[in-house]
């Protein structure tokens, strides 16, 4: 298979970075197609930790071309900083990073609006990352957004930006009662930055479409997760983009029908950051110890993640909406020592039973999980590189998840580093 997408099946933070990095060894091109620096993919390579927010995780494979697709919203300051930081650590993106003309620019007023709104919402806050993602997509949809394309003609860019600053500053001051943006400083900074951004600009949708015709191996790297999708997630506690596999077409530029496989990534348990329904959430000491064991603190914001049992009902939903070819299960090692383990196999709402997402997303807040228990294991699985090397109960747990979800498990993560993965099937090596 030549074109493979990787998507999160839960609320983000499933460990996609590591799997993408592993698959990128076979890919000539890695494409991000939605979201912005609200994503953070953590990679541990030869003991060194890398956190990537905008640049695809495939960047660390030095021969891969990295694409930021038109469906993304990109903070240009954060992008240049990330490019520089990677360069300092020996990863040069010169000549192999392509940024779509169509991607939208995240501006400081978007960040100010995002943060001020969240603080006004108080207890009803969404718990956004505060990186201006929602307000940037709002401007895109209301056709006020600024795109990388606009940077080419500085005079017209300046004019559009000045108009936006004027309107946003009015909103920031009068409605959100917060400090306005210094337009002059922003313009001067952007004029300087522009020269460094222009060399990366590219017609990425033409590039990706051509590459599919040429039979190149392309990896589409999803950010966030199915339950954070603007349409299919737990609205309004979601991010502002489509993060399911169909976003690959619009946001990545691949023509419909040209995607060979979608690999879903799921933790062996569940986490979420921010507010919103979470049926299998574990409160108290067990949740706390899993959080410590799994280092479950947001890579982008440092916030502690909420912890829960594996939810097969939500996994079935993610399998359907993403058309999954297989599942990569991550962080199995974190569950070592918890005995018994629980798996959510469905929900009850009053007298009604559901084996997947109940109709009408609001219903999830009322859903009571139905659990089955399964024996845990006590031996660390970190050194296992084949399924037979797993502790017997860990293997049974994985097989039970596959059975409940009705999908093949293609990979199993047993530790933080890239090589701590059992690869049962690599989509790029399948026909
Ligand atoms: P926003 O994307 O910053 O607007 O945040 C909206 C919601 O999505 C919040 O609950 C965030 O915590 C969540 N979110 C956004 N990106 C990620 C991610 O990469 N991992 C986990 N949660 C995320």
């Amino acid at each position: 298979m030549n074109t493979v997408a990787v998507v999160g099946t839960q609320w983000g933070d499933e460990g996609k970075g590591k799997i993408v990095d592993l698959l990128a060894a076979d890919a000539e091109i890695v494409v991000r197609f939605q979201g912005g620096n609200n994503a953070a993919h953590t990679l541990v390579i030869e003991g060194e930790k890398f956190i990537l927010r905008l640049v695809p995780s495939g960047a660390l494979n030095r021969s891969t071309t990295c694409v930021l697709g038109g469906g993304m919203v990109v903070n240009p300051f954060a992008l240049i900083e990330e490019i520089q930081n990677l360069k300092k650590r020996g990863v040069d993106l010169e000549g192999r990073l392509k940024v779509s003309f169509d991607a939208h620019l995240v501006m400081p007023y978007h960040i100010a609006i995002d943060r001020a709104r969240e603080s006004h919402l108080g207890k009803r806050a969404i718990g956004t990352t505060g990186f201006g993602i929602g307000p940037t997509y709002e401007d895109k949809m209301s056709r006020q957004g600024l795109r990388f394309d606009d940077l080419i003609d500085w005079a017209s860019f300046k004019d559009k930006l000045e108009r936006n600053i004027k309107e946003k500053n009015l909103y920031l001051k009068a409605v959100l009662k917060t400090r306005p943006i210094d337009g002059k400083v922003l313009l001067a900074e952007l004029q300087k930055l522009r020269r460094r951004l222009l060399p990366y600009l590219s017609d990425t949708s033409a590039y990706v479409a051509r590459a599919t015709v040429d039979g190149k191996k392309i990896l589409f790297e999803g950010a966030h997760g199915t339950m954070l999708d603007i349409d299919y997630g737990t609205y309004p506690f979601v991010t502002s983009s489509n993060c399911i596999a169909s976003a690959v077409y619009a946001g990545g530029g691949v023509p419909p029908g040209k995607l060979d496989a979608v690999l879903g990534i799921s933790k062996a348990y569940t986490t979420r950051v921010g507010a919103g329904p979470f049926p299998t959430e574990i409160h108290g000491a067990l949740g706390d110890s899993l959080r410590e064991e799994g280092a479950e603190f947001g890579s982008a914001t440092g916030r502690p993640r909420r912890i829960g049992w594996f939810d097969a009902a939500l996994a079935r939903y993610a399998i359907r909406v993403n058309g999954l070819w297989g599942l990569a299960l991550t962080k199995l090692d974190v569950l070592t020592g918890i005995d018994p383990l629980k798996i959510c196999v469905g929900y009850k709402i009053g007298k009604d039973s559901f084996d997947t997402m109940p109709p009408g997303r609001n219903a999830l807040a009322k859903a009571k999980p139905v659990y089955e228990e399964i024996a845990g294991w006590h031996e660390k699985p970190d050194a296992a590189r084949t399924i037979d090397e797993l502790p017997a109960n860990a293997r049974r747990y994985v097989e039970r998840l596959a059975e409940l979800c009705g999908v093949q498990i293609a990979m199993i993560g047993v530790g933080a580093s890239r090589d701590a993965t059992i690869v049962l099937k690599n989509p790029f090596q399948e026909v």
Side-chain angles (χ1 to χ4, degrees):
M1 298 198 280
N2 287 335
T3 49
V4 175
V6 163
V7 295
T9 62
Q10 298 166 319
W11 279 280
D13 307 319
E14 296 93 350
K16 293 182 287 297
K18 178 177 131 170
I19 303 293
V20 167
D21 180 55
L22 187 150
L23 289 172
D26 286 303
E28 294 158 273
I29 303 166
V30 185
V31 183
R32 267 204 60 188
F33 52 92
Q34 45 73 229
N37 61 339
N38 49 345
H41 290 165
T42 309
L43 305 172
V44 181
I45 294 168
E46 285 160 14
E48 226 193 318
K49 192 166 158 185
F50 290 81
I51 297 179
L52 299 174
R53 299 200 157 104
L54 287 163
V55 171
S57 308
L60 304 188
N61 285 295
R62 320 250 151 141
S63 56
T64 314
T65 300
C66 297
V67 174
L68 304 193
M72 288 189 72
V73 293
V74 179
N75 179 326
F77 298 101
L79 177 62
I80 292 295
E81 195 184 323
E82 198 165 314
I83 294 170
Q84 266 173 342
N85 284 342
L86 282 169
K87 195 167 178 178
K88 269 190 223 146
R89 297 174 76 177
V91 181
D92 197 351
L93 290 167
E94 217 63 49
R96 63 184 187 100
L97 175 67
K98 294 179 187 293
V99 180
S100 171
F101 289 120
D102 302 331
H104 278 248
L105 292 161
V106 179
M107 290 284 99
Y109 48 78
H110 293 130
I111 298 172
I113 292 171
D114 189 3
R115 293 183 182 175
R117 274 196 198 141
E118 282 285 280
S119 90
H120 278 278
L121 280 169
K123 275 193 183 150
R124 288 179 298 115
I126 291 164
T128 71
T129 56
F131 293 140
I133 307 301
T136 309
Y137 276 114
E138 278 171 45
D139 276 3
K140 169 177 174 168
M141 292 309 180
S142 67
R143 292 151 298 177
Q144 284 176 296
L146 292 164
R147 301 193 296 171
F148 277 84
D149 196 15
D150 295 315
L151 282 171
I152 292 169
D153 178 346
W154 178 251
S156 106
F157 178 83
K158 184 168 174 277
D159 183 52
K160 283 184 199 165
L161 182 63
E162 277 170 344
R163 269 187 284 136
N164 277 1
I165 293 172
K166 206 165 160 193
E167 188 190 304
K168 303 300 179 195
N169 275 350
L170 216 61
Y171 179 60
L172 281 165
K173 278 190 288 189
V175 179
L176 296 175
K177 311 277 183 233
T178 189
R179 279 221 322 264
I181 295 300
D182 187 331
K184 278 207 183 98
V185 170
L186 177 59
L187 267 161
E189 285 174 351
L190 277 172
Q191 194 167 15
K192 262 198 261 157
L193 201 71
R194 173 177 171 266
R195 277 190 288 271
R196 299 172 67 188
L197 292 166
L198 291 179
Y200 296 110
L201 302 196
S202 165
D203 185 349
T204 59
S205 98
Y207 172 75
V208 170
R210 179 81 241 161
T212 62
V213 173
D214 292 345
K216 294 243 161 83
K217 295 228 181 266
I218 314 173
L219 182 62
F220 295 90
E221 174 177 346
H224 325 301
T226 303
M227 300 305 152
L228 289 173
D229 182 279
I230 186 80
D231 294 309
Y232 288 88
T234 47
Y235 192 90
F237 302 103
V238 291
T239 192
S240 294
S241 62
N242 282 115
C243 0
I244 58 168
S246 36
V248 166
Y249 301 114
V254 62
K258 293 279 185 196
L259 192 57
D260 294 329
V262 183
L263 177 67
I265 317 293
S266 173
K267 269 182 198 157
Y269 47 99
T270 313
T271 63
R272 95 169 283 181
V273 280
F278 185 179
T280 65
E281 185 163 11
I282 307 169
H283 298 279
L286 180 56
D288 293 343
S289 81
L290 265 168
R291 183 177 305 109
E292 290 301 322
E293 192 58 38
E296 296 293 359
F297 298 89
S299 326
T301 58
R303 291 180 293 177
R305 295 177 184 145
R306 298 158 68 191
I307 312 286
W309 299 112
F310 185 88
D311 188 335
L314 281 195
R316 287 184 200 116
Y317 174 71
I319 289 161
R320 170 172 71 79
V321 302
N322 291 293
L324 293 188
W325 162 87
L327 209 55
L329 208 59
T330 60
K331 294 187 131 178
L332 184 69
D333 52 305
V334 174
L335 294 177
T336 305
I338 301 172
D339 194 5
L341 291 158
K342 285 185 184 182
I343 306 170
C344 169
V345 293
Y347 307 121
K348 280 252 179 219
I349 302 178
K351 290 197 179 99
D352 298 324
S353 299
F354 301 90
D355 64 2
T356 188
M357 174 76 93
R361 238 59 82 214
N362 288 338
L364 195 66
K366 297 185 218 126
K368 299 267 171 290
V370 178
Y371 289 114
E372 73 173 37
E373 285 193 353
I374 184 165
W377 58 92
H378 298 270
E379 320 83 307
K380 283 206 163 293
D382 308 42
R385 293 295 175 269
T386 66
I387 192 145
D388 297 329
E389 289 166 359
L390 280 177
N393 283 352
R395 181 179 174 158
R396 262 180 226 123
Y397 181 73
V398 172
E399 285 168 350
R400 183 65 185 138
L401 297 193
E403 208 170 81
L404 285 168
C405 297
V407 75
Q408 62 179 342
I409 306 278
M411 295 178 188
I412 307 164
V414 291
S417 69
R418 171 158 54 181
D419 59 321
T421 310
I422 299 171
V423 181
L424 299 165
K425 274 192 179 177
N426 176 335
F428 280 126
Q429 287 159 18
E430 298 288 313
V431 275

